[in-house]
Amino acid sequence: MRVLQMFRSMSSVVIGLFATNSWAVDLSPREAQVLAVICAECHSRAETTAPVMGDTNMWRERNAQGFEVLVRNTVLGKGSMPPLGTCGYCTEAEIRHLVEALSGLADSGASP
Ligand code: HEC
């Protein structure tokens, strides 16, 4: 609980960081908000064990699985990440853009 509150209080910092979007993926305003408010709760802090956005070392092995596996694992959930990264209202297209933004990997364009 305390950890969650810490994330919330950090969210303005996180929005600033995520707005700079190191991979320059074009996100819709809604996607950018999901990234900053939902995904960033875990993916901006290594303590959560989630791979941190922009940290290429943390993503290298995961990206080696290929883009579609990343999308599938995001949709179904993996380890301590709940299904859809908890974004229950995200569409598949949005999830794919968010995975691009987090991983730095380009969408392979294949259907999952
Ligand atoms: C509650 C914390 C949490 C939230 C919120 C969250 N994630 Fe994750 N995510 C994790 C953790 C922890 C892992 C590492 C899981 C593992 O490998 O055991 C992970 C892993 C991933 C991976 C890599 C999967 C792989 O195959 O290695 C992707 C991609 C990802 N998350 C995308 C997202 C997206 C997109 C969002 C927002 C919609 C999101 N996550 C929200 C905790 C979270």
Side-chain angles (χ1 to χ4, degrees):
M1 191 54 164
R2 217 205 266 140
V3 174
L4 254 183
Q5 280 161 359
M6 202 167 72
F7 285 140
R8 296 237 157 84
S9 66
M10 277 202 47
S11 60
S12 56
V13 177
V14 167
I15 287 166
L17 276 176
F18 276 55
T20 61
N21 191 346
S22 36
W23 317 109
V25 177
D26 273 337
L27 296 178
S28 71
R30 189 168 101 138
E31 288 164 354
Q33 195 189 357
V34 169
L35 185 64
V37 176
I38 299 182
C39 312
E41 281 211 356
C42 299
H43 286 276
S44 62
R45 302 178 61 89
E47 305 88 289
T48 66
T49 73
V52 173
M53 178 178 174
D55 186 329
T56 42
N57 285 329
M58 293 183 90
W59 283 97
R60 190 167 295 118
E61 272 184 39
R62 295 178 188 275
N63 288 358
Q65 305 174 101
F67 188 79
E68 297 309 318
V69 175
L70 295 184
V71 170
R72 190 169 70 229
N73 288 343
T74 305
V75 171
L76 298 178
K78 183 182 182 190
S80 41
M81 177 167 70
L84 294 167
T86 73
C87 185
Y89 56 84
C90 279
T91 65
E92 183 192 323
E94 286 173 332
I95 289 291
R96 297 177 78 88
H97 284 148
L98 292 166
V99 170
E100 280 189 279
L102 282 175
S103 69
L105 208 60
D107 191 334
S108 63
S111 51

